[in-house]
Amino acid sequence: MKTTSLFACVTALLIILCSRASNGQLSPTFYAQSCPVALTIVRIAVLQAVAKEKRMAASLLRLHFHDCFVNGCDGSILLDDTSTFTGEKTAGPNANSVRGYEVIDTIKSRLEAVCGGVVSCADIVTIAARDSVVLLGGPSWIVQLGRRDSTTASLSGANSNLPSPFSDLSTLISAFQAQGLSTKDMIALSGAHTIGQARCTTFRSRVFNDTNIDSAFATSVQANCPSNGGDGNLSPLDLVTPNFFDNTYYKNLRSQKGLLHSDQELFNGGSADGLVTTYSTNPITFFSDFAAAMVNMGNISPLTGTSGQVRTNCRKVN
């Protein structure tokens, strides 16, 4: 099947799928009257950011994930520390790692100029994640909207809720179940690692110590991640097609070429092996399941109605 036909089939399926997946409190047309240009403004800004740096697509996708796993998709990760407030940015999984804050700032300032006080930072992060995936060739889905922004954040939640790159399979399953996500969601969402890069500190122990790793792959990665030093050196999570959203991540796992220990745990003789095999051979199924899982993740404990606020500056409460 030609790529364009594949994407067309997936998109048609996802329109049906995601329309049925509505949270009930959220709506894809939430800004249709109050800010009809909202999605266009976000899409253009993401396009500009990704055109400048391909890696930013993965960063914006990860930003959404790290937001939603701490007290829900409420924009709490965007809050800066102050003299009286400690947010989530300095948490272990986020510090010197999570990126894209400036892109969100740009989008917010453009939206405020047109629709002041209308579009939440939490929704901006959610839309930007979808648009980032699409820009690198991945599936699209209908984004549910209407989240409001938190006035608090949780450093402890960021340190405890976000799965580690050193996690085993059971720990990964538990971390996602704690957020109301299934094992299938977890395996599909892990496919986000088909794009983006990781720091040497997150995979050094794997490429030097793990036994379930292709030896040639380990050697090639060690060249940029020595046993000592180079902690901040980067390596693509998918060495084959690092800037294209596809199912190569799962093919890599079947060849024992997962970069992170937690990646390879998805194909290591456990309960996730079957679905990894399916995704490695059927990109349509992966795209469909990934999109559905993104909708599910975006529905984690949103603030709606009069809860929270719509921040005018995503870095601080009003």
Side-chain angles (χ1 to χ4, degrees):
M1 182 182 292
K2 293 182 179 179
T3 301
T4 53
S5 298
L6 185 153
F7 288 170
C9 291
V10 171
T11 300
L13 174 63
L14 295 178
I15 287 174
I16 297 172
L17 174 70
C18 296
S19 294
R20 293 175 179 173
S22 174
N23 178 271
Q25 297 174 304
L26 305 176
S27 166
T29 58
F30 188 82
Y31 298 113
Q33 300 299 321
S34 59
C35 191
V37 297
L39 271 70
T40 300
I41 288 174
V42 176
R43 183 170 61 251
I44 291 172
V46 172
L47 174 62
Q48 292 171 337
V50 174
K52 184 177 180 180
E53 182 195 11
K54 284 282 179 63
R55 183 187 172 203
M56 187 53 68
S59 296
L60 291 171
L61 177 57
R62 185 165 180 255
L63 182 64
H64 181 39
F65 168 64
H66 280 231
D67 182 35
C68 291
F69 264 56
V70 183
N71 296 337
C73 309
D74 60 1
S76 58
I77 194 172
L78 306 174
L79 290 170
D80 284 341
D81 289 356
T82 69
S83 59
T84 58
F85 172 83
T86 301
E88 298 166 15
K89 291 183 175 179
T90 56
N94 297 333
N96 301 312
S97 176
V98 172
R99 308 166 70 245
Y101 300 118
E102 294 79 8
V103 177
I104 302 301
D105 291 340
T106 296
I107 296 170
K108 182 60 174 174
S109 64
R110 292 179 183 179
L111 285 167
E112 286 298 303
V114 178
C115 315
V118 173
V119 183
S120 69
C121 302
D123 275 347
I124 292 171
V125 172
T126 307
I127 301 166
R130 189 272 309 273
D131 292 349
S132 294
V133 170
V134 173
L135 281 173
L136 294 193
S140 185
W141 58 92
I142 296 174
V143 177
Q144 303 296 326
L145 301 169
R147 298 167 191 79
R148 287 167 64 85
D149 299 321
S150 173
T151 56
T152 62
S154 177
L155 178 67
S156 61
N159 278 320
S160 61
N161 294 0
L162 291 161
S164 160
F166 313 108
S167 298
D168 60 21
L169 181 60
S170 62
T171 301
L172 291 170
I173 291 172
S174 296
F176 280 74
Q177 285 181 340
Q179 303 299 328
L181 298 174
S182 68
T183 299
K184 180 179 179 180
D185 288 330
M186 183 273 289
I187 299 168
L189 289 171
S190 296
H193 285 180
T194 191
I195 56 175
Q197 302 183 60
R199 293 179 300 154
C200 175
T201 52
T202 64
F203 58 82
R204 177 185 284 121
S205 61
R206 167 153 170 76
V207 299
F208 281 99
N209 300 322
D210 281 5
T211 56
N212 60 341
I213 187 169
D214 178 84
S215 59
F217 170 74
T219 300
S220 69
V221 175
Q222 288 169 7
N224 193 43
C225 183
S227 57
N228 292 293
D231 288 359
N233 291 356
L234 299 172
S235 182
L237 288 158
D238 168 13
L239 284 173
V240 181
T241 55
N243 293 317
F244 192 71
F245 196 100
D246 55 20
N247 66 333
T248 303
Y249 166 79
Y250 299 102
K251 297 177 182 179
N252 293 340
L253 297 185
R254 295 184 68 190
S255 301
Q256 295 190 318
K257 295 178 181 177
L259 182 66
L260 305 179
H261 178 84
S262 57
D263 287 330
Q264 196 60 55
E265 279 291 291
L266 300 187
F267 194 83
N268 193 34
S271 59
D273 285 15
L275 202 49
V276 168
T277 299
T278 297
Y279 291 159
S280 72
T281 58
N282 194 327
I284 291 180
T285 300
F286 165 50
F287 276 21
S288 176
D289 287 357
F290 179 83
M294 286 296 292
V295 173
N296 291 340
M297 187 177 76
N299 284 341
I300 297 175
S301 304
L303 297 173
T304 58
T306 58
S307 299
Q309 62 182 214
V310 176
R311 290 188 224 130
T312 56
N313 180 336
C314 292
R315 292 177 179 267
K316 60 183 182 180
V317 299
N318 294 343

